[in-house]
Each structure stands twice: as C-alpha cells, then as structure tokens.
C-alpha cells in the first residue's frame, strides 16, 4: 500500500494542492536542463586532454614503423589491438579496431548479416521470411533502433536480478530458427545496472539454438566504468562460448567513447577468428584503412590496461558524487512512500527508476514542462512501448551538481504529483 492510499480524501486533496504550489514555483524558475542521455561532463573530457598533443609532426609512426598518416591497416594497429585485447580478455588476433563508435560497428555488422549472412547462415538474413532479435528489457534504446530500422522483429525478454530470464530465452531460441540474436549489456547494464551472473553467462554460451547462425551481441560498453573499488566481476563470454563448443556464437563490442573523448574515441570488436576473418573481408570493401592516428594517440596516452583503469578511477571520482546525490534525493523525498523504486548501480551511466504503473509518461512530460528533459518514457523497451508505463532512465553524469540537485528535486516532485493525481482519479476526486 502506498502512503497516498492511507490518506483520507481531505488529506489527499490538501497534499495535492501543496504539491501543485511547489510545482508552480519550479515552473517560474524557467529551468533549461537536459538529462536525456548518458553524456560525459566537460570535467570528465578534460581528463583526456593529453590525447590532443601526445602525437605531433615528428612522432606519427607506430611501433612497427607504420606511417599512421597513410592508408592501410584495415583491422587496426597491432598495439591498438593488443590494448583492446587486454580490455576484452581476448587475443589480438580476435580483435578488430573500428572508428569512434561501437554502435557503428554493431549497425554495420547486422547490415552485413542482412545482405550477406554470417558464417553458418544458410542464406542472407534479408532473404529469410522473418528475422527476430531478443531484447532484454528495460534495455538500450539504440540497440532496439538498429533492428527496428532494418525491419527485424523485437521480442522483449524480462530481466531478473542477475540478467535476462534465461528460461524464457532458452525456450524461444531452441524453438525458433528466425531468432538470430540477443542484445546484451552484460556489465552495469543500461539502464538497470545489473551485471550478469556466472550462471547466466554459461547458459547463454551453451544453450541450444535452432538457428545455426544465432549470435550474442555482447555490448560490453561499461567494462571499466565502475563507481566502487570492488566492482562485480563477470565471466569471459568469448572463453565460455569456446568451452561450450560454440566459439562463433558471440560478438563482443566496446569503445572508449565514455573513457577518453566521446566524439573521438575508438571502438573495438572481439570475436572468434572465423568471425573476425568474415568481418575483415567485408570491412576491406568498405574502407582502405581506419584513423590510425587516433588509435596511436590512444595507445600512447593510456599505454596499457592499468593506464585505462587509473584513468577510470579519476572519472569515478567525478561522477560518483552525482549518482550519490541523485539517489540521496530520491531516498529523502520518496523513501517509504511506495511510489517508486530505483537501482543503486555499482557502475555504468544510468539509474533505472520504476514508478507506479501508468505514471512514467506523465512524469516525464510534467518534468519537461517545468524545464528538465529526461529520456522519453518507454525508450528502454522495444518499439518504445513499456507495457507497465513505469520505467524511467535517469542519466546523472552530465549536469553539474547544482543543476542535478534542481533536476532531481523537480523529478521527485513530479513523481509525487503524478501519483497523487492518479489516486485522486481512482477516488473520482479530480476536478
């Protein structure tokens, strides 16, 4: 039972009027704040300022003498592949270095599967009657958008405390050859913050699949994005697939977009050598070579995995207080009222908030009307349709603390105001 349900009609109406007065004060401030996406703040980007001058007109050659200003090296500099192999617990031969966006790698890979098929495909996906992807939800809206854009059917999968509902996943994948993949953000998941358990990883790697070209799209975007000194560990999916006799089952993605410079990072793909050879063949048609200067400067700036981890500890010192503030305000304003629940992530970029059913869209709209833009309600579900209309993704990294405080105070007010309005409607008291 919510706190509101315990109030008598008069107390509820008086509380409503108090909240409305408070909301009108926010509207009078004419705020213009945006928390719609997980964007690094300027102070985080400043930490990587050394990337801008770690190469110059005289030191633009790679370790093997490659002139990084010129064409060539379609799958990346050897030292860049070595760095990302450390990050992804892979062999350098299992890694390809891309441009500045892992999302670009994911999109290109699925387009190639549509046009040409994957290793193991009987025909290109586009020539098959139907192609489907499993989408653990709430999840990453841009994953879903890739599939929707290409006409791939999205199947929502429920989340458990330790990852997707594996009984649901296993049943679907074993029975339907049109299911070609599953989207996974396995560590500090977007937006729930969940890290997949050992049991989930092993079951994903070993489960029978009716489609011979079924793939796990393992977006390890937050592999080093920790907010604690003792982050959760996760099994190596590449190795688990090999041990399960399914070496080609997984594509692993990551990037430095939220590590170095968001618009000028580098992305990487790790997979079995068979998958890598397939990808390289198609990549060589698309490009004569990547931006090797950017790869070189990342290697020189970070040097190795220890360098990346030290850099991310400095980032955590900046963003952890923002997560702490956002959670503290929700606990102070909403704690014990049973109007909402929220994640307390150990890493990543988001806080997942669940409101009362039927309230999320109204809360987001009300917050926007008072000057704070949030991720659209429903965006974390396939086709933008949250069946309960109760999930909201918060992105606290970009605003300065003072602005974040304002935004969170408004957000928690809108949760209470919308919840009261719903209770008034239930009692037929809303005028």
């Amino acid at each position: 039972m919510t706190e509101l349900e315990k109030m008598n009609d008069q107390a509820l109406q008086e509380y409503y009027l108090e909240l409305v007065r408070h909301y009108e004060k926010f509207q009078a401030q004419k705020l213009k704040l945006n928390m719609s996406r997980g964007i690094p703040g300027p102070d985080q980007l400043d930490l990587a300022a050394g990337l801008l001058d770690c190469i110059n007109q005289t030191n633009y050659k790679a370790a093997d003498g490659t002139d990084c200003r010129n064409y060539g090296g379609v799958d990346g500099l050897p030292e860049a592949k070595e760095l990302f192999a450390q990050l992804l617990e892979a062999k350098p031969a299992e890694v390809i270095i891309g441009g500045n966006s892992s999302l670009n790698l994911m999109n290109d890979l699925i387009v190639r599967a549509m046009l040409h098929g994957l290793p193991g495909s009987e025909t290109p996906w586009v020539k098959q009657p139907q192609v489907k992807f499993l989408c653990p939800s709430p999840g990453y809206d841009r994953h879903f958008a890739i599939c929707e854009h290409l006409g791939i059917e999205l199947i929502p999968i429920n989340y458990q405390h330790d990852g997707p509902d594996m009984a649901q996943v296993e049943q679907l994948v074993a029975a339907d050859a049109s299911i070609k993949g599953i989207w996974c953000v396995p560590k500090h998941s977007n937006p729930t913050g969940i890290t997949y358990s050992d049991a989930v990883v092993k079951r994903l790697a070993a489960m029978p699949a009716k489609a011979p070209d079924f793939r796990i799209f393992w977006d390890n975007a937050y592999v080093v994005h920790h907010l604690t000194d003792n982050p959760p560990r996760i099994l190596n999916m590449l190795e688990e697939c090999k041990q399960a006799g399914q070496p080609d089952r997984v594509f692993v993605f990551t990037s430095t977009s939220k590590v170095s410079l968001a618009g000028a990072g580098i992305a990487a793909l790790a997979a079995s050598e068979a998958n890598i050879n397939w990808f390289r063949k198609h990549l060589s048609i698309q490009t004569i070579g990547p931006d090797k200067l950017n790869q070189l400067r990342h290697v020189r700036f970070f040097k190795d995995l220890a360098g990346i981890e030290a850099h991310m500890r400095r980032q955590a010192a900046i963003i952890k207080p923002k997560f702490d503030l956002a959670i503290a305000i929700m606990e102070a304003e909403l704690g014990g009222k049973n109007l909402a629940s929220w994640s307390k992530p150990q890493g990543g970029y988001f806080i997942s908030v669940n409101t009362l059913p039927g309230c999320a869209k109204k809360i987001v709209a009300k917050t926007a009307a008072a000057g704070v833009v949030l991720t659209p309600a429903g965006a974390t579900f396939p086709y933008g349709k949250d069946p309960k209309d109760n999930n909201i993704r918060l992105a606290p990294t970009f605003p300065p603390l003072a602005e974040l405080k304002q935004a969170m105070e408004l957000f928690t007010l809108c949760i209470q105001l919308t919840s009261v309005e719903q209770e008034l409607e239930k009692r037929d008291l809303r005028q």
Side-chain angles (χ1 to χ4, degrees), residues 315-377:
Q315 284 217 23
I318 292 171
I319 66 173
K320 186 177 185 299
K322 298 181 181 184
F323 279 82
D324 291 345
L325 175 63
I327 290 170
I329 291 174
M330 286 191 286
E331 290 177 344
E333 298 298 327
L334 302 172
K337 296 181 179 179
N338 293 328
L339 302 180
S341 60
W342 48 90
S343 62
K344 296 180 181 179
Q346 297 183 62
Y349 258 61
F350 304 102
I351 299 170
S352 183
V353 178
N354 286 324
T355 69
L356 296 178
C359 287
K361 287 183 179 178
K362 294 175 182 177
I363 291 166
V364 170
K366 204 177 291 291
T367 305
V372 175
V373 178
L374 303 176
T375 302

Side-chain angles (χ1 to χ4, degrees), residues 40-51:
D43 43 359
Q44 290 175 256
L45 301 176
D46 287 344
L47 294 176
L51 278 167

Side-chain angles (χ1 to χ4, degrees), residues 129-416:
Q130 197 169 29
V131 177
K132 304 172 187 174
F133 260 61
L134 303 185
C135 302
S137 304
Y140 183 27
D141 52 329
R142 291 191 182 273
H143 288 163
F144 306 157
I146 290 173
C147 287
E148 188 174 359
H149 183 65
L150 295 171
I152 296 171
E153 181 180 340
L154 308 179
I155 302 175
I157 298 295
N158 297 324
Y159 256 123
Q160 310 284 17
H161 70 282
D162 63 345
D165 182 340
M166 285 307 301
Q168 189 182 12
V169 171
E170 288 165 338
Q171 181 180 13
L172 289 168
V173 170
D176 191 346
S178 69
I179 296 176
K180 299 298 185 182
I182 181 172
W183 289 110
C184 295
V185 183
K187 193 165 189 176
H188 308 311
S189 294
N190 176 356
T192 61
I194 289 169
T195 294
Y196 288 17
S197 68
D198 291 358
V200 166
V201 174
K202 287 179 176 293
R203 288 173 73 175
L204 282 167
M207 64 185 181
K210 192 164 186 180
D213 50 356
F214 175 83
R215 294 293 190 275
I216 299 168
F217 284 70
W218 196 252
D219 185 2
N220 214 350
Y222 307 110
V223 60
V224 288
H225 296 71
H226 311 311
L227 295 173
T228 70
D229 293 332
N230 297 297
R233 54 175 289 280
I234 189 168
L235 291 180
N236 182 337
M237 180 54 94
L238 273 170
E239 287 303 313
E240 291 301 321
C241 286
K242 291 175 187 176
Q243 291 178 22
Q246 308 277 4
D248 299 337
R249 171 163 284 186
V250 65
F251 291 112
V252 182
F253 305 89
T254 198
S255 78
T256 68
S257 292
K258 291 182 174 68
V259 175
S260 56
L261 301 177
I266 51 177
L269 164 69
S272 69
E273 290 194 44
N275 280 333
I276 288 295
N277 290 336
W278 169 87
F279 192 84
R280 185 189 295 110
K281 173 185 173 183
H282 291 282
L283 185 63
S284 66
I285 304 300
Q286 182 180 15
T287 180
I288 300 174
D291 182 351
K292 295 184 292 298
L293 288 172
N294 196 28
Q295 293 181 21
L296 182 63
R297 65 180 184 170
H298 273 77
V299 171
R300 288 187 176 165
F301 181 75
F302 289 115
K303 297 182 175 61
D304 52 25
L305 180 58
I308 292 176
E309 291 172 339
H311 182 84
M312 295 309 292
R313 286 192 289 272
R314 292 189 286 272
Q315 284 217 23
I318 292 171
I319 66 173
K320 186 177 185 299
K322 298 181 181 184
F323 279 82
D324 291 345
L325 175 63
I327 290 170
I329 291 174
M330 286 191 286
E331 290 177 344
E333 298 298 327
L334 302 172
K337 296 181 179 179
N338 293 328
L339 302 180
S341 60
W342 48 90
S343 62
K344 296 180 181 179
Q346 297 183 62
Y349 258 61
F350 304 102
I351 299 170
S352 183
V353 178
N354 286 324
T355 69
L356 296 178
C359 287
K361 287 183 179 178
K362 294 175 182 177
I363 291 166
V364 170
K366 204 177 291 291
T367 305
V372 175
V373 178
L374 303 176
T375 302
T380 55
F381 287 80
Y383 307 109
K385 296 178 180 178
D386 176 355
K388 294 182 180 179
D389 184 24
N390 78 328
N391 184 256
I392 299 172
R393 186 183 74 181
L394 295 182
T397 55
F398 184 75
L401 282 169
E403 291 184 3
L404 178 63
K405 182 175 184 293
Q406 288 180 302
M408 290 304 303
E409 288 173 347
L410 172 61
F411 174 63
T412 54
L413 171 63
C414 290
I415 289 177
Q416 295 175 81

Side-chain angles (χ1 to χ4, degrees), residues 83-160:
L83 178 61
F84 274 88
Q86 294 176 43
L87 187 65
L88 295 175
E89 298 180 291
K91 301 173 184 176
E94 297 172 325
V95 175
I96 281 181
I97 308 299
N100 73 319
S101 167
S102 56
L103 193 68
N104 182 225
L105 283 177
M106 297 174 214
N107 181 79
D108 282 1
L109 198 156
I110 294 181
V111 169
R112 290 179 180 122
M114 293 291 286
L115 295 176
H116 304 285
L118 294 173
S121 294
E122 296 173 353
T123 62
W125 289 1
V126 74
K127 293 184 178 180
Q128 300 185 25
Q130 197 169 29
V131 177
K132 304 172 187 174
F133 260 61
L134 303 185
C135 302
S137 304
Y140 183 27
D141 52 329
R142 291 191 182 273
H143 288 163
F144 306 157
I146 290 173
C147 287
E148 188 174 359
H149 183 65
L150 295 171
I152 296 171
E153 181 180 340
L154 308 179
I155 302 175
I157 298 295
N158 297 324
Y159 256 123
Q160 310 284 17

